[in-house]
Amino acid sequence: MSSSQARTNANAATGGGIGIRHAICFFAFLGNMYTIPVCSAKSLRRTASTTRHTSSCQGTPAIESVDVVVIGAGMSGLKAAQTIEEADADVSYVLLEGRDDVGGRMRKHTLPNGFVVEQGPNWINGGTGNPIYEMAKDLNLDIYDESADYNPWKVYSGATGEAYDNDLVASRLNDFYDAIECVSKQAADVWCRRMLKEGDSDVRVILDDCGWSPTNGLDDEIEWAWVDWEYTMPANQVSIYAYPESSAFAPGSFLVKDQRGYQYLAETMANSLRQDPIVSTEVTLIEWDNEESDLPPARVHTMNLQDGSCTIYEASAVIPTVSIGVLQNREDMFNPPLKDFSEKNVFKMGSFQKVFYTFEEAFWKNGSGTDEDFVINIAMEDRQDKGRCSFFLSLDKGDVPADEISQTTSPTEPAVSTPTQPAQPAQSLVLELPNEDGKKAPGIMFTIDATSDIVIETLYVQTLAGQTDPAVAVEVYTKEGTYDGFESDPSSWNKVYEGFVMGLGENAMVKLEGDQFDPISIKAGTKQSIYVSVKAVAKKCANCLLGNKQQETVGRSSGTFTVSGGVGMMGLFEPSGKARAFTGAIVYTVTGTDDRKLESDKTFTPSTTTTLPGSHTLFCTLVTEQVERVGGQISDEKAMEFLEPLKKIYGADRVVPTNIYAVSPWM
């Protein structure tokens, strides 16, 4: 199936310099993945009173001044905030989000069997060069390139359950591809005529002109999969300007099935910012173009959805990153109104609605355990059935072999994994420092007393964060000598590591990747201090480090060095005054002439886990026309009706779901 800009997807903003101007800027989608800021010039006058936007506030609104207000903490809003931080550290901003978390349309849901599914976006369209794809690879997101699984294409009859003849399906697919090529050629001409202000045609008209006019269930299903499902609209509502399809990225259509959720990308991005997004905050009014008044250029009125308190942010620039659907439904949010917005933005936002089914048996798999039908296409010969699911996808597809997975440790039996690196003269050793009492802290400082020359290659840390939590931002610093008296003096420390790790729960260790960790050399007879810090989230230090309160229980000698002391830290270089001994593991080599047998140390042993399989889960997606026919939330009874064709294909006794989860319709 081709990649298109219409498939629900996350979008990332391109970087660039920040120039503060008295304007309102939108992060507009370009092509399939990138966004750029588009600013509207000052031209209108304020026209309405703001009384209605403050009448429901609890108390008098607070007033805060910033340079920039970014609205929406989806990928575009997060990228806008990141771009501001990278471009100019002196520019102040706030990032506002109406929901209680980040990610925009990225939303995950955990089924009763513990399997995490996506309510919103499920794909990454385009490979190398696509910033979302690159970020997913960096974070080891569990994705699967499904492109090859659409060929050869198999279609079943919804009436009989029998598969259409493969040669017939291939022939009609080729006819459709020819028609789409014809559409693309005509679309290129239309783009040129657009400059002459000529009108455009819908894709249905052009397909008919190109010789493709469906008259049966098979042709309907082919067109539905390549037009309706791609663009969420039938061909007669898709503009010719959607073609020709093109992409600046390497090919690939990647299904996201990571158990941290697609939202993990946004959560990781948010954790990398210097300041946290302000969530559960609704923007009620944006006053702008205040050049001729005594007010600041822009005033953004907000309400906290938890306590009803209100804040007015006075700023020089505003960057709304909300969707066109939100803008179309909230034109009253702008004062003065945006000039000609309704006339120029006539796009209709399509709808997706997913239904997830879990079964005792993955009946669509063959005897070897692989997908016989990764995509189950059902041709609805009776057009009255067009409101039903006709396109099912398997979430059991694409399990990663154990030797290709990022090495992790068992959640019940802490262990460490061998790094993949060339053999060295010095043997890598590890000293484990077990957790005894589960005390937590955003940071821990400790001291190493060396009796031999050693090099610390990396560390393993223990955090409270689990596998479905956001990535944990970790920094490691070091200094010669003890940390006493230097707890609040960052100028005395050198940073040796900065990166993200995925938590595995409080009973497991997680490795700081060695290629990002600058080795720490310690001479025999000297002391070296190390400071490990995480950016703690607001919710009860939910991703904090674990450390022992009783230091003597973990002060440990390996025969070459001793780990001693330890103090907890609140923020970065902000000591708490509480004793916290580091727990985790220290990876090191002995570089001196000391050849004593290190009885208390042990070498690395590989330890890997397999990814969670799809738990026998299928899902289908309804698009706009089908969503409208269903008319709202799908009941279990209605969802069971969608399975009738599958019962004819695989047998009614096998198609018995143990759980049904229907996502509420949203745009």
Side-chain angles (χ1 to χ4, degrees):
M1 182 162 292
S2 60
S3 299
S4 78
Q5 61 267 43
R7 179 180 288 175
T8 308
N9 208 339
N11 293 269
T14 56
I18 294 294
I20 301 300
R21 54 172 296 188
H22 299 161
I24 185 164
C25 304
F26 292 92
F27 263 56
F29 297 121
L30 282 185
N32 189 39
M33 199 57 60
Y34 288 104
T35 62
I36 61 169
V38 180
C39 296
S40 172
K42 307 181 299 294
S43 61
L44 303 176
R45 299 290 174 265
R46 297 170 63 239
T47 59
S49 168
T50 63
T51 303
R52 68 183 185 277
H53 298 280
T54 60
S55 59
S56 57
C57 294
Q58 297 297 316
T60 303
I63 306 293
E64 294 189 21
S65 295
V66 294
D67 292 319
V68 183
V69 175
V70 182
I71 302 173
M75 293 300 285
S76 291
L78 291 166
K79 184 60 180 180
Q82 185 183 74
T83 303
I84 292 170
E85 290 188 353
E86 292 174 350
D88 192 340
D90 294 328
V91 174
S92 61
Y93 76 93
V94 291
L95 174 56
L96 307 175
E97 170 57 46
R99 293 174 55 200
D100 61 358
D101 57 5
V102 300
R105 291 172 178 264
M106 296 173 170
R107 306 182 193 180
K108 60 189 176 184
H109 174 80
T110 304
L111 299 177
N113 62 3
F115 187 66
V116 174
V117 296
E118 302 294 337
Q119 299 182 71
N122 236 124
W123 288 268
I124 298 173
N125 285 325
T128 303
N130 179 344
I132 296 294
Y133 173 81
E134 302 291 357
M135 187 176 182
K137 296 297 288 183
D138 289 342
L139 292 175
N140 292 318
L141 203 72
D142 186 7
I143 59 178
Y144 172 71
D145 188 354
E146 62 184 21
S147 303
D149 287 297
Y150 293 105
N151 297 298
W153 225 55
K154 183 184 289 187
V155 181
Y156 294 95
S157 165
T160 67
E162 297 293 327
Y164 279 83
D165 178 76
N166 288 338
D167 291 339
L168 173 61
V169 173
S171 174
R172 294 307 291 156
L173 275 173
N174 287 332
D175 291 342
F176 179 77
Y177 294 153
D178 290 342
I180 286 295
E181 184 177 354
C182 170
V183 168
S184 296
K185 289 179 180 178
Q186 293 199 34
D189 294 336
V190 171
W191 274 104
C192 295
R193 294 200 304 272
R194 187 180 191 184
M195 303 305 173
L196 303 175
K197 306 299 182 182
E198 295 184 15
D200 65 307
S201 301
D202 61 63
V203 172
R204 169 80 278 134
V205 171
I206 308 301
L207 279 172
D208 289 342
D209 289 345
C210 291
W212 178 267
S213 300
T215 58
N216 56 62
L218 174 59
D219 289 358
D220 280 341
E221 178 61 15
I222 291 172
E223 182 178 309
W224 185 92
W226 261 264
V227 179
D228 299 49
W229 195 69
E230 288 278 333
Y231 295 95
T232 78
M233 298 285 187
N236 63 358
Q237 296 182 47
V238 176
S239 170
I240 189 64
Y241 294 131
Y243 293 88
E245 293 184 339
S246 61
S247 175
F249 314 131
S253 179
F254 301 90
L255 179 70
V256 176
K257 57 189 292 291
D258 195 284
Q259 292 304 286
R260 295 166 290 180
Y262 206 153
Q263 193 173 354
Y264 181 64
L265 299 184
E267 293 167 339
T268 299
M269 207 168 179
N271 283 344
S272 72
L273 298 175
R274 292 197 300 265
Q275 64 188 58
D276 294 328
I278 301 174
V279 298
S280 300
T281 299
E282 179 186 3
V283 173
T284 58
L285 179 68
I286 302 172
E287 294 181 272
W288 64 292
D289 192 32
N290 294 327
E291 284 282 290
E292 297 181 7
S293 71
D294 57 356
L295 296 173
R299 283 162 50 95
V300 179
H301 298 241
T302 69
M303 175 181 289
N304 184 294
L305 299 178
Q306 295 181 337
D307 60 18
S309 63
C310 292
T311 302
I312 299 174
Y313 294 95
E314 299 183 336
S316 296
V318 182
I319 306 177
T321 67
V322 296
S323 71
I324 263 193
V326 172
L327 292 175
Q328 288 174 331
N329 290 312
R330 287 294 313 278
E331 286 192 63
D332 65 337
M333 184 167 58
F334 298 93
N335 185 26
L338 300 177
K339 184 178 181 181
D340 301 329
F341 181 82
S342 297
E343 291 77 8
K344 292 181 178 179
N345 293 277
V346 295
F347 301 105
K348 179 181 178 182
M349 293 295 291
S351 300
F352 279 103
Q353 190 167 6
K354 292 181 179 177
V355 186
F356 295 90
Y357 300 89
T358 302
F359 303 90
E360 289 285 353
E361 171 198 7
F363 50 78
W364 57 94
K365 288 179 176 285
N366 60 25
S368 64
T370 58
D371 283 320
E372 180 74 19
D373 296 315
F374 168 60
V375 179
I376 305 171
N377 298 283
I378 301 170
M380 300 296 188
E381 289 87 353
D382 185 347
R383 297 204 169 192
Q384 296 301 313
D385 291 333
K386 293 297 287 183
R388 294 185 177 184
C389 287
S390 61
F391 194 75
F392 291 82
L393 289 98
S394 168
L395 283 177
D396 278 81
K397 188 69 176 180
D399 292 345
V400 183
D403 58 358
E404 296 179 14
I405 301 170
S406 298
Q407 293 176 337
T408 61
T409 60
S410 165
T412 57
E413 191 172 317
V416 288
S417 321
T418 184
T420 55
Q421 57 186 20
Q424 310 178 64
Q427 184 183 28
S428 292
L429 303 163
V430 59
L431 175 64
E432 292 190 43
L433 305 171
N435 182 265
E436 301 289 345
D437 51 24
K439 299 299 181 181
K440 58 189 178 182
I444 298 174
M445 285 183 180
F446 60 96
T447 298
I448 289 179
D449 298 304
T451 56
S452 299
D453 292 349
I454 63 171
V455 175
I456 296 177
E457 297 179 333
T458 189
L459 302 174
Y460 279 75
V461 299
Q462 289 183 280
T463 84
L464 289 169
Q467 294 188 52
T468 59
D469 291 325
V472 182
V474 180
E475 295 180 2
V476 179
Y477 298 82
T478 189
K479 68 174 292 293
E480 294 181 354
T482 179
Y483 59 79
D484 290 332
F486 297 93
E487 295 92 338
S488 303
D489 182 12
S491 64
S492 298
W493 297 77
N494 296 314
K495 184 185 293 186
V496 295
Y497 176 85
E498 182 176 9
F500 293 90
V501 298
M502 185 186 78
L504 298 171
E506 59 185 279
N507 293 318
M509 303 180 202
V510 60
K511 177 186 176 184
L512 307 183
E513 290 300 328
D515 58 353
Q516 300 176 35
F517 193 101
D518 293 336
I520 304 172
S521 297
I522 309 175
K523 291 292 186 182
T526 66
K527 296 179 184 289
Q528 188 82 17
S529 293
I530 296 177
Y531 172 27
V532 183
S533 176
V534 302
K535 181 180 179 182
V537 297
K539 297 178 180 178
K540 299 181 180 180
C541 207
N543 64 346
C544 278
L545 296 169
L546 287 172
N548 289 329
K549 182 177 180 180
Q550 300 299 323
Q551 296 175 343
E552 62 271 16
T553 64
V554 293
R556 184 172 299 179
S557 174
S558 69
T560 56
F561 68 90
T562 299
V563 180
S564 62
V567 62
M569 307 293 287
M570 295 299 293
L572 193 60
F573 292 102
E574 297 177 5
S576 67
K578 297 180 180 180
R580 288 291 183 272
F582 176 73
T583 65
I586 298 174
V587 183
Y588 68 100
T589 56
V590 180
T591 59
T593 58
D594 190 339
D595 58 358
R596 291 173 293 172
K597 184 176 178 63
L598 306 177
E599 296 292 347
S600 61
D601 296 334
K602 55 188 175 184
T603 57
F604 282 119
T605 55
S607 173
T608 59
T609 61
T610 56
T611 54
L612 185 66
S615 301
H616 302 166
T617 301
L618 290 174
F619 78 97
C620 74
T621 304
L622 304 179
V623 296
T624 307
E625 191 174 49
Q626 295 167 310
V627 172
E628 292 172 352
R629 290 195 185 196
V630 171
Q633 182 63 45
I634 297 174
S635 65
D636 285 356
E637 181 180 7
K638 175 62 71 174
M640 285 297 295
E641 291 181 12
F642 297 162
L643 295 178
E644 290 302 316
L646 297 188
K647 292 179 179 179
K648 295 175 183 176
I649 299 170
Y650 302 101
D653 59 330
R654 303 176 72 191
V655 186
V656 181
T658 58
N659 180 73
I660 298 174
Y661 173 62
V663 181
S664 298
W666 53 286
M667 297 173 61

